[in-house]
Amino acid sequence: MGALVRQYSCDNYFQSWCQLHNVTIQMDADVQASVFPRVRQLGFIYGTIGNFSHTLNNQLFKAGVLRVFARGTRIRHLTMPSTVDQLYLRDNDLRTVEIDPRARYILRYLRLQMNKLRTIARFDHLTQLLELNLCDNLIEDVPLDTFATMPNLRQLILCGNHIKTLGSSAQAIVWLPALTHLDLAGNFITRLPLERWRLPQLINLSVRDNLLTTLDSGTLVHRFPRLRIFDASANALDCRSYQDALQTFVNRSVVHLVDRRMCTVDDSIVLPMEDDVHQRDRGRMHHPNNEVEQFVPSAKERQEIRHLKERIFLQQRTIQQQRMDIEQLRANLTTLMEQFDLVAGPARALDPF
């Protein structure tokens, strides 16, 4: 008697993606007894797929699937498929990724955010990637030369990990010729090895919420000549780095977000010296020759001036944040439009996430 075959059909469609809800695949025997819909874009919503195995990849290939997403399916192990060009596995409890160095991967978009990955070993074999999103994992060490084998990589998103170092295994120059967006926010980075990064097309760089205390703004804009958006907020930059950053980014018209530091008296109101106070007569300070008079503000006037400067600063900060939001939305829109145009045929689709 033959084995029972499970024929799946689409439970729902979302932007041309066929969705399967609550699929349970525990062993390869379950996969072999499953027949998936013949679609180019297939998504798994919740359920259990304990092992995204080579057998599952073969079944998807037989069904003609080119793009896969899964959300909430508790995938702990992923055998990287070599026959799909878009893979989105968000929030799946993913812990390990198996990549065969002998395989030729056609994968262009890979998003594995909100999982439990600790390493990016062998990711350098994914040479066709245009976008890689590993945000919100448990990665600690990222040799950036891992991505040097990806000449077309445009977006690299590593936010929300435990990254402490950004070295390269050979201590050589890391050249990413197509990279436009690099997100390193929410890590434990103490230093940016800018002298070993060559990112000629980089437009958007975020190092928000790290452990940076120094920043070489001159080297930053020299290494990244096309930089237009830079976010270094929530870092404890020293006074020299802060002041250099303000001057450098304003001169280069870079939209920047750097936490304000009260480092000198340049931005504050200079109070009159005690000797000058004794010479003041009703708000005026008389010089010995009585030829020049200088107005000295009263305590109330000084307080009003200080409040006015604080309001101006807050307004400038709001405007700066709005400019960054606009630029970020513009960059996201550009990425979506590019991705839309890259998907050929009548079943054009955007990332379902």
Side-chain angles (χ1 to χ4, degrees):
M1 184 176 178
L4 181 64
V5 176
R6 174 70 184 272
Q7 176 76 50
Y8 288 98
S9 59
C10 301
D11 295 311
N12 189 26
Y13 278 92
F14 178 76
Q15 294 183 353
S16 300
W17 287 77
C18 168
Q19 295 183 352
L20 303 181
H21 294 184
N22 299 310
V23 172
T24 299
I25 299 176
Q26 298 286 6
M27 300 177 293
D28 279 351
D30 299 330
V31 178
Q32 293 170 351
S34 300
V35 178
F36 296 107
R38 294 195 62 83
V39 294
R40 298 180 67 185
Q41 302 171 157
L42 182 63
F44 299 91
I45 304 296
Y46 302 111
T48 300
I49 303 177
N51 182 4
F52 203 106
S53 64
H54 182 68
T55 304
L56 177 57
N57 289 331
N58 284 339
Q59 291 294 88
L60 295 175
F61 174 70
K62 291 178 182 179
V65 176
L66 291 177
R67 305 173 190 102
V68 179
F69 81 79
R71 182 180 64 211
T73 55
R74 297 191 286 274
I75 300 173
R76 294 203 168 200
H77 178 79
L78 166 66
T79 300
M80 191 66 69
S82 60
T83 58
V84 302
D85 68 352
Q86 297 180 31
L87 182 61
Y88 310 108
L89 302 184
R90 173 188 178 189
D91 189 17
N92 284 283
D93 199 32
L94 182 63
R95 298 166 186 257
T96 57
V97 177
E98 180 183 345
I99 298 176
D100 186 355
R102 299 167 299 178
R104 297 186 62 181
Y105 295 97
I106 64 172
L107 197 62
R108 296 183 302 162
Y109 295 90
L110 177 60
R111 299 184 182 180
L112 303 177
Q113 68 267 41
M114 299 176 65
N115 285 290
K116 296 181 180 179
L117 296 177
R118 295 182 178 273
T119 178
I120 56 171
R122 293 189 172 178
F123 271 62
D124 54 320
H125 295 284
L126 306 177
T127 58
Q128 303 302 311
L129 282 180
L130 299 178
E131 177 185 326
L132 176 60
N133 187 337
L134 297 173
C135 191
D136 294 323
N137 278 278
L138 304 174
I139 302 169
E140 294 186 2
D141 183 32
V142 176
L144 276 191
D145 54 351
T146 298
F147 313 108
T149 59
M150 308 171 187
N152 300 317
L153 185 65
R154 294 197 297 252
Q155 291 202 39
L156 178 57
I157 305 174
L158 300 170
C159 58
N161 280 279
H162 298 170
I163 300 172
K164 299 177 182 178
T165 60
L166 288 167
S168 60
S169 56
Q171 300 298 310
I173 299 295
V174 178
W175 187 43
L176 301 175
L179 192 68
T180 62
H181 182 99
L182 176 59
D183 191 346
L184 300 170
N187 283 287
F188 300 94
I189 301 169
T190 58
R191 179 180 176 273
L192 299 177
L194 300 175
E195 67 280 358
R196 288 191 277 110
W197 292 359
R198 187 178 176 188
L199 315 176
Q201 300 299 320
L202 189 67
I203 296 175
N204 190 332
L205 173 62
S206 176
V207 292
R208 175 181 52 82
D209 191 18
N210 274 278
L211 302 178
L212 297 174
T213 57
T214 61
L215 180 67
D216 189 343
S217 304
T219 302
L220 189 76
V221 296
H222 176 71
R223 284 288 182 182
F224 315 141
R226 295 176 61 88
L227 187 67
R228 290 296 175 266
I229 306 173
F230 179 68
D231 186 356
S233 58
N235 283 282
L237 296 181
D238 60 30
C239 290
R240 171 174 289 185
S241 297
Y242 167 72
Q243 293 167 340
D244 289 347
L246 293 186
Q247 182 176 0
T248 301
F249 296 140
V250 169
N251 291 340
R252 292 297 188 100
S253 299
V254 175
V255 179
H256 58 280
L257 189 60
V258 180
D259 290 344
R260 188 172 188 245
R261 298 294 306 276
M262 296 299 294
C263 298
T264 67
V265 297
D266 295 343
D267 294 331
S268 62
I269 302 299
V270 180
L271 301 179
M273 300 297 293
E274 184 177 355
D275 293 340
D276 295 334
V277 174
H278 293 300
Q279 299 181 35
R280 184 174 60 189
D281 181 15
R282 293 184 180 181
R284 295 184 181 274
M285 182 174 65
H286 299 276
H287 289 260
N289 55 13
N290 292 325
E291 294 179 356
V292 180
E293 293 184 348
Q294 181 179 354
F295 176 75
V296 178
S298 64
K300 182 178 180 180
E301 290 169 334
R302 291 197 301 271
Q303 186 177 9
E304 291 177 351
I305 293 173
R306 187 180 297 276
H307 288 166
L308 180 61
K309 294 187 72 173
E310 290 176 353
R311 288 173 57 190
I312 293 174
F313 167 74
L314 292 176
Q315 290 174 351
Q316 290 175 335
R317 187 184 180 96
T318 301
I319 293 172
Q320 189 82 323
Q321 182 63 54
Q322 291 173 343
R323 289 179 63 192
M324 289 198 67
D325 292 341
I326 292 172
E327 292 294 337
Q328 185 64 63
L329 289 172
R330 185 178 299 170
N332 292 342
L333 178 60
T334 301
T335 300
L336 288 175
M337 292 176 65
E338 290 174 349
Q339 184 171 341
F340 185 84
D341 291 335
L342 283 169
V343 179
R348 290 187 171 186
L350 300 176
D351 174 7
F353 293 123

